[in-house]
């Protein structure tokens, strides 16, 4: 019998830990936080997001938007105008995700130059990498 079988609280914590991977998959996705950041000022159309998120392909933006919509982070609204268009907007949960991840994005911008320097130093080392 392992510890989680004899301790219901440990089992619950273990289960919660596994479930948090769902959230970490959103936060750790290459494009999701950039899309969320670009929606923080209000609704945007697909083409606006495509221009705003440097390097994202049309297909990857579509996949990312669908995933964020499925997870309840944003909503997709079809506007019945001529010509019809679609806009995307953060949900209440998406707004709280933006607030929670804003410090991470700010940290990354503040440290990009240092990360680039560290990578350049690492890449020019002559000692071989350690293997297990």
């Amino acid at each position: 019998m392992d510890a989680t079988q004899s301790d219901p609280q440990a089992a619950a914590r273990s289960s919660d830990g596994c479930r948090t991977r769902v959230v970490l998959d959103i936060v750790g996705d290459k494009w999701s936080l950039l899309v969320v950041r670009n929606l923080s000022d209000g609704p945007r159309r697909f083409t606006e997001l495509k221009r705003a998120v440097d390097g994202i392909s049309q297909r990857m933006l579509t996949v990312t938007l669908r995933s964020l919509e499925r997870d309840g982070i944003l909503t997709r609204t079809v506007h019945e105008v001529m010509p019809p268009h679609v806009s995307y907007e953060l949900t209440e949960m998406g707004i709280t995700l933006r607030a929670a991840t804003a410090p991470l994005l700010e940290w990354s911008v503040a440290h990009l130059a240092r990360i680039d320097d560290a990578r350049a130093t690492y890449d020019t080392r002559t000692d071989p990498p350690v293997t297990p």
Side-chain angles (χ1 to χ4, degrees):
M1 180 183 287
D2 69 19
T4 59
Q5 290 173 326
S6 62
D7 182 357
Q9 289 179 336
R13 283 191 305 274
S14 175
S15 173
D16 290 346
C18 292
R19 294 285 302 143
T20 59
R21 287 187 204 156
V22 172
V23 175
L24 295 175
D25 285 344
I26 297 169
V27 176
D29 176 74
K30 181 175 182 176
W31 302 110
S32 292
L33 290 185
L34 296 174
V35 169
V36 168
R37 180 182 71 185
N38 278 285
L39 289 172
S40 63
D41 292 329
R44 308 235 1 224
R45 293 174 68 172
F46 184 93
T47 53
E48 293 173 304
L49 289 168
K50 175 79 173 70
R51 280 191 298 268
V53 181
D54 187 39
I56 194 168
S57 68
Q58 184 167 327
R59 181 187 182 299
M60 188 49 63
L61 179 56
T62 299
V63 168
T64 301
L65 290 168
R66 285 180 183 164
S67 176
L68 291 170
E69 182 181 10
R70 181 175 182 258
D71 290 337
I73 305 300
L74 60 81
T75 58
R76 176 182 185 269
T77 304
V78 178
H79 300 275
E80 299 296 333
V81 295
M82 281 309 224
H85 73 267
V86 176
S87 65
Y88 298 89
E89 184 173 14
L90 293 177
T91 62
E92 184 178 324
M93 189 167 49
I95 292 167
T96 62
L97 175 62
R98 170 64 178 130
T101 58
L104 176 61
L105 291 171
E106 291 167 11
W107 180 92
S108 66
V109 169
H111 292 87
L112 278 174
R114 292 178 65 192
I115 292 169
D116 289 342
D117 291 345
R119 287 178 175 178
T121 300
Y122 181 89
D123 291 345
T124 60
R125 289 189 341 198
T126 57
D127 58 323
V130 177
T131 56

